[in-house]
Amino acid sequence: MSFTNKAPYFIRSFKIFFIFLFVLCITAINSFAQEDFFQPSPKYNSSRVVGTVITESVIATAATIGLNYLWYKKFPHSRFHFFNDNNEWLNMDKVGHATSAYNIAAIQGDVLHWGGVRPGLSALIGSLTALGFMTMIEVMDGHSTAWGFSKGDMLANISGCLLYEGQQLLWGQQHISLKYSFHKSLFAKYNPGELGSNLIQQSLKDYNGQAYWLSVNIASFLPSNTNFPRWMNIAAGYGAEGMIAAVNNPTEINGQKIPYFKRYRQFYLSMDADLYRINNISPLATTLLKVNRTIKMIAPALEWNEVDKLKFHWLYY
């Protein structure tokens, strides 16, 4: 059986992040006049926390209902079952799951810390929230005849949460983050139904144009009195190309012949930045720039792959 992409990637992945950022905007309505609104509360702030919980509950309920009626209802349901998709998309989807889970946990942890919840507890709740949301998606997949509950996806979800929670336990902050970048690829035009028919869809569905990055903040591992820029990172990336479908490329789609493309993995080394770490910026700027914790900066990159071997990009995204 040929399996298409699961639930739309904007639900399964990066657009989820902005749900949690949106929580700040909704809660701000009653408090925005305060100069220190974007500053984390030094003690437990019940109005912030309650507002956050209510807003997230409404959004999560709406997202779950919407996902069920707008996507899963289109496909036949079945008894809960498992499905092994570990051979699909050269594992790009698995890295995407880990990145999604990590960033949901980090954003949720930040929101609760902003509400004055102590750091250890806010991080734990953030991790459990991310794992719970991603698990809910997998359970819904498990009741669809088209897919199934993926153990590989769950392992990736757990890995992303553990990367966040482990750093909070070890260091009390994030020295390493998982980030995303995208460029338009030449492959989407051959299978727009699967890979997207416009730039927005392709940024979410076309794994050929996506890259995922393990971004390490250098100054975090240096002595506290170092003069090394606090915002400068080094990033190791993973990508893949040549994929027209999940497992094997078809030779024809809707009567259109598909050229042969070799499917291969790509590995990158690049510079990056955590702009929210810049010294002496306002709490508002820090909050807004934390989107940079999710999206990698455009920068020169060194790539290795089995087709071209070593190659250099003056700018890669």
Side-chain angles (χ1 to χ4, degrees):
M1 179 181 292
S2 175
F3 291 91
T4 59
N5 279 342
K6 298 179 183 178
Y9 206 61
F10 73 91
I11 290 292
R12 302 179 60 84
S13 186
F14 292 97
K15 205 163 181 180
I16 297 172
F17 304 155
F18 296 99
I19 291 176
F20 294 95
L21 292 178
F22 183 66
V23 168
L24 289 177
C25 300
I26 296 297
T27 312
I29 293 175
N30 294 325
S31 309
F32 194 78
Q34 302 176 20
E35 292 183 1
D36 62 346
F37 174 75
F38 289 96
Q39 185 72 38
S41 177
K43 60 182 181 180
Y44 181 78
N45 186 317
S46 60
S47 63
R48 290 186 179 187
V49 174
V50 171
T52 295
V53 170
I54 292 174
T55 304
E56 287 185 351
S57 298
V58 171
I59 293 175
T61 300
T64 303
I65 294 173
L67 182 60
N68 182 59
Y69 279 91
L70 296 177
W71 184 257
Y72 287 100
K73 198 174 181 180
K74 297 178 181 179
F75 301 96
H77 287 126
S78 67
R79 296 180 62 182
F80 181 84
H81 62 284
F82 292 94
F83 168 59
N84 186 349
D85 61 351
N86 292 335
N87 63 340
E88 295 187 357
W89 301 112
L90 295 178
N91 303 124
M92 283 292 289
D93 58 325
K94 301 299 180 283
V95 186
H97 271 269
T99 303
S100 299
Y102 170 85
N103 281 279
I104 294 172
I107 292 172
Q108 176 71 356
D110 283 350
V111 171
L112 291 174
H113 179 57
W114 166 77
V117 179
R118 57 187 175 85
L121 182 58
S122 64
L124 178 60
I125 295 175
S127 299
L128 293 175
T129 298
L131 187 59
F133 190 90
M134 301 299 283
T135 300
M136 181 269 294
I137 299 289
E138 289 304 322
V139 170
M140 296 175 77
D141 282 347
H143 286 283
S144 173
T145 55
W147 313 293
F149 186 101
S150 169
K151 296 179 182 179
D153 286 355
M154 274 306 302
L155 181 60
N157 296 337
I158 293 170
S159 298
C161 293
L162 286 178
L163 177 63
Y164 171 73
E165 179 65 19
Q167 291 185 85
Q168 290 298 123
L169 291 173
L170 185 62
W171 298 310
Q173 60 176 306
Q174 299 297 296
H175 293 186
I176 304 167
S177 55
L178 286 172
K179 299 188 179 185
Y180 158 91
S181 68
F182 173 78
H183 65 271
K184 188 175 177 65
S185 83
L186 61 87
F187 303 100
K189 66 182 180 181
Y190 294 106
N191 194 0
E194 184 80 359
L195 304 178
S197 58
N198 56 56
L199 186 61
I200 294 177
Q201 291 180 2
Q202 291 164 14
S203 69
L204 304 169
K205 299 175 67 177
D206 183 7
Y207 290 117
N208 298 283
Q210 298 175 15
Y212 295 96
W213 304 83
L214 195 70
S215 185
V216 180
N217 182 252
I218 301 171
S220 296
F221 292 97
L222 300 177
S224 58
N225 60 352
T226 182
N227 291 322
F228 195 88
R230 293 183 64 248
W231 49 266
M232 186 175 291
N233 289 17
I234 188 168
Y238 175 67
E241 279 195 358
M243 301 175 291
I244 306 300
V247 180
N248 298 304
N249 292 346
T251 57
E252 182 179 301
I253 297 178
N254 296 328
Q256 177 187 4
K257 291 188 178 299
I258 307 299
Y260 169 78
F261 295 109
K262 182 177 177 60
R263 301 162 66 96
Y264 62 93
R265 306 173 192 271
Q266 301 162 304
F267 302 91
Y268 302 97
L269 186 65
S270 179
M271 300 305 297
D272 188 29
D274 281 344
L275 297 179
Y276 66 91
R277 297 182 189 267
I278 295 174
N279 291 326
N280 302 319
I281 60 175
S282 69
L284 172 59
T286 299
T287 299
L288 295 177
L289 289 174
K290 278 195 172 180
V291 69
N292 175 228
R293 185 171 58 191
T294 299
I295 300 175
K296 184 191 174 294
M297 295 286 291
I298 299 173
L302 194 63
E303 174 189 346
W304 184 90
N305 66 69
E306 62 180 272
V307 175
D308 302 310
K309 304 305 179 182
L310 201 62
K311 59 190 296 188
F312 179 74
H313 303 271
W314 286 105
L315 290 175
Y316 191 86
Y317 50 93

